Amino acid sequence: DAGVTQSPTHLIKTRGQHVTLRCSPISGHKSVSWYQQVLGQGPQFIFQYYEKEERGRGNFPDRFSARQFPNYSSELNVNALLLGDSALYLCASSLALGLAVYNEQFFGPGTRLTVL
Amino acid sequence: AQRVTQPEKLLSVFKGAPVELKCNYSYSGSPELFWYVQYSRQRLQLLLRHISRESIKGFTADLNKGETSFHLKKPFAQEEDSAMYYCALSGHQAGTALIFGKGTTLSVSS
């Protein structure tokens, strides 16, 4: 298993455009979470999905949306891009929800989004 | 408010010296605490978590609920420990979402 995969690796957009980022979880994992990491900061939680339902949402505007598909892959969509949306977007997958020892979150390599 | 504070942006030590990366948290309830590490050109990965009570790569961390701290320690630093370290918490109030600190860069030189 290649672990969590994300596409694309890098992306350059201009202000006002729309972007879709994709994530494939580890086989067997049913939960996917999205994080935004601005340069010099730690990752900040955006969304968590489990069994295709939203189970958590961070403090982000409605321009950010996501969904999870029947195969547990996920998309993060950002509308009306702003310069401040430039960041590394991380996807993490886990077996399920909860804080059990076995339920570790595994991170993907991220998608670097640059908004000009 | 739920918050993780890592007061040091950079910690530089010599090989063989003890290391302590500080982490303080704010959370009303009983959170689960984690340390994540990111080596150069690698993805973010879990180093250890409080509930496991394991020692990974010689690192340990003790949860001090009175001081709301979860400092990461290693008695003898190695050059391969050089990396970015993030403290994070999760809890029932936050779902299982992770709340991260800003990170501390550990630089170990010979």
Side-chain angles (χ1 to χ4, degrees):
Chain A
D1 197 334
V4 178
T5 59
Q6 293 185 243
S7 62
T9 306
H10 298 89
L11 202 53
I12 299 175
K13 293 284 188 179
T14 56
R15 281 177 296 174
Q17 284 189 312
H18 161 92
V19 69
T20 298
L21 310 180
R22 296 178 175 82
C23 171
S24 292
I26 291 171
S27 178
H29 285 195
K30 297 183 178 181
S31 179
V32 169
S33 299
W34 287 95
Y35 295 83
Q36 180 195 64
Q37 186 172 19
V38 174
L39 197 61
Q41 304 289 319
Q44 187 174 0
F45 172 69
I46 310 175
F47 287 110
Q48 184 174 45
Y49 276 77
Y50 176 67
E51 290 284 14
K52 303 182 289 295
E53 291 188 6
E54 182 183 303
R55 294 303 188 100
R57 174 186 284 254
N59 189 24
F60 279 80
D62 292 343
R63 298 184 296 106
F64 288 77
S65 64
R67 56 180 175 168
Q68 187 177 32
F69 298 99
N71 67 353
Y72 303 108
S73 67
S74 178
E75 282 183 354
L76 175 69
N77 295 283
V78 187
N79 292 323
L81 285 167
L82 303 174
L83 295 179
D85 295 331
S86 294
L88 181 67
Y89 288 85
L90 296 169
C91 174
S93 77
S94 59
L95 282 168
L97 297 178
L99 300 175
V101 172
Y102 62 80
N103 205 29
E104 178 183 341
Q105 290 199 33
F106 292 84
F107 282 83
T111 293
R112 173 74 60 187
L113 173 64
T114 302
V115 182
L116 302 177
Chain B
Q2 303 155 17
R3 187 170 55 247
V4 175
T5 303
Q6 294 180 251
E8 303 139 329
K9 197 169 183 178
L10 172 65
L11 183 63
S12 296
V13 302
F14 288 107
K15 177 181 173 181
V19 171
E20 183 179 48
L21 300 172
K22 291 184 168 53
C23 172
N24 288 90
Y25 66 90
S26 173
Y27 186 84
S28 53
S30 295
E32 177 63 18
L33 275 297
F34 306 79
W35 277 99
Y36 279 80
V37 62
Q38 188 164 28
Y39 301 102
S40 179
R41 296 190 180 85
Q42 294 187 27
R43 60 186 68 188
L44 196 60
Q45 59 186 284
L46 179 65
L47 179 62
L48 57 80
R49 59 187 295 182
H50 166 248
I51 195 172
S52 300
R53 301 186 186 280
E54 291 178 318
S55 172
I56 307 296
K57 298 184 179 182
F59 284 97
T60 59
D62 291 320
L63 179 60
N64 186 321
K65 292 184 178 180
E67 296 183 357
T68 59
S69 68
F70 190 58
H71 303 326
L72 183 68
K73 300 177 183 179
K74 185 170 183 176
F76 307 104
Q78 302 298 317
E79 288 182 76
E80 55 265 30
D81 295 329
S82 296
M84 175 69 86
Y85 291 80
Y86 293 98
C87 182
L89 71 76
S90 185
H92 295 294
Q93 288 186 24
T96 52
L98 292 164
I99 298 169
F100 286 88
K102 292 185 178 181
T104 298
T105 299
L106 174 63
S107 177
V108 182
S109 55
S110 55

